[in-house]
Amino acid sequence: MSAQPNPSVPPRDLIAMCALGIGQFGILIALLNWGLQHVQAAQAALIFSLFPLLTLLLAAAFGREQVTPGLLAGVLLSIGGVAVSLAPKLQASTGGHWWGELAVLGAACTGALCSVLYRPYLQRYPTVPVSALAMLASVLFLAVVAVPEQWLTRVTTFSPGAWAAIVFIGVSSGIGYYLWLYALKHESPTRVTVFLSLNPVTAALLGWGLLGEVLDPTLLAALALIGAGLWLATRTPTAQEARERAG
C-alpha cells in the first residue's frame, strides 16, 4: 500500500528518520572519507563492495529478507566483479593502515544498517519529505562535527568555480539520495544495494570517456560477473522458489 501524507508525525518517527539520515548521509561519508586518507582508493572500494552482503545479512537477522541461494550467489558474484575490476589497482597499491580499513568497513556497515531500517518509514511517509528531513539532519550534524576544521572561515575563501562545484555536487547528491530512498521504498534493501557494484565500473568508463584513461582488459570480465550477479539478485523468483520462501 502506498504511503499517504500524514500531517501528524510522531516524534519518535522524526527522531528515527533524522538518525537514519545522519547515519547514511553523514556518518557513512565521514567514515569513508577518513578511511580514504589512510588506505588506497582501490582497497577502500573493495572493502566497501561488501555493502550488499552486509545488507543481506542484517536484513535476514531483522527478518526483513530471506537468504536464498540465488540472492546470495548474485551478491557474491557482484563482489567478485568489483574485485576483478579493481585487480590492476590493487596490485599497484602500497598498502595502508588497519584503522583506515576499519573505517571503510564501518561506513559499509552503517550504510547497510540504515538501508535495512529505512523501509518502514519510507512506506509510511512520502519519499520527498523523508529525504529532505534526513539530508537536513545530516548537514546540521556535519556542520557541527566540522567546526574544529574552521569551515566557517574557509568557505569565505572559496572561488566562484569552487562554489559551482559545491552546488553541482549538492544538487546531484540530493537527487541521488532521493532516488536511493525511492528504490528502498519499493524494493528490498539487498536488491537496491547490490547495484553499488556498478560504481567502480562506471568510474572506469567515465574516466575513459571524459578523461581519456586507458581501460583495462579485465573490465569486460568484471562487467560479466556484475551483470550475472545483478540478474541473480534481482530476478523474479519461480513459483517453486516462491512456495519455498512462503513455506
Side-chain angles (χ1 to χ4, degrees), residues 35-55:
L36 284 169
Q37 296 177 11
H38 302 280
V39 295
Q40 298 293 320
Q43 292 173 284
L46 183 60
I47 296 171
F48 199 73
S49 72
L50 297 175
F51 195 139
L53 179 60
L54 295 168
T55 301

Side-chain angles (χ1 to χ4, degrees), residues 203-214:
L205 291 174
L206 288 175
W208 168 72
L210 299 178
L211 304 176
E213 296 179 354
V214 178

